[in-house]
């Protein structure tokens, strides 16, 4: 699996809960949410495009930061 890092403009617990919801709905992902740094690290076989589209469903400003080495 590739580990991908995304920026998601999260400001509160509610935002990170929204991210958790959309990712769990997608399925097949392991993820860590770093709320203070507004980062979401996802371990998945889904494509970056799929993950980005999924994260954008939260309505937050989202961008792909790159692959994270394990």
């Amino acid at each position: 699996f590739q580990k991908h890092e995304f920026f998601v403009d999260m400001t509160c617990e509610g935002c990170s809960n929204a991210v958790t919801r959309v990712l769990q709905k997608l399925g097949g992902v392991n993820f860590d949410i770093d709320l203070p740094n507004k980062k979401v690290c996802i371990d998945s076989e889904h494509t970056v495009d799929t993950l980005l589209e999924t994260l954008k469903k939260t309505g937050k400003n989202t961008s792909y930061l790159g692959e994270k080495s394990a």
Side-chain angles (χ1 to χ4, degrees):
F1 283 5
Q2 276 309 125
K3 254 187 160 19
H4 298 292
E5 206 167 37
F6 295 88
F7 166 84
V8 182
D9 194 12
M10 301 174 286
T11 49
C12 64
E13 202 65 32
C15 300
S16 61
N17 289 343
V19 170
T20 300
R21 265 198 309 278
V22 295
L23 288 175
Q24 283 175 341
K25 208 167 174 184
L26 177 66
V29 291
N30 284 319
F31 58 93
D32 289 309
I33 296 176
D34 181 352
L35 190 52
N37 294 312
K38 303 187 179 188
K39 284 183 187 170
V40 181
C41 188
I42 306 174
D43 194 1
S44 165
E45 36 188 30
H46 290 292
T47 64
V48 169
D49 289 342
T50 301
L51 296 172
L52 197 54
E53 282 310 307
T54 301
L55 288 170
K56 283 184 176 166
K57 287 178 186 167
T58 59
K60 308 273 166 230
N61 182 7
T62 305
S63 57
Y64 180 50
L65 296 174
E67 283 179 15
K68 204 178 163 124
S69 45

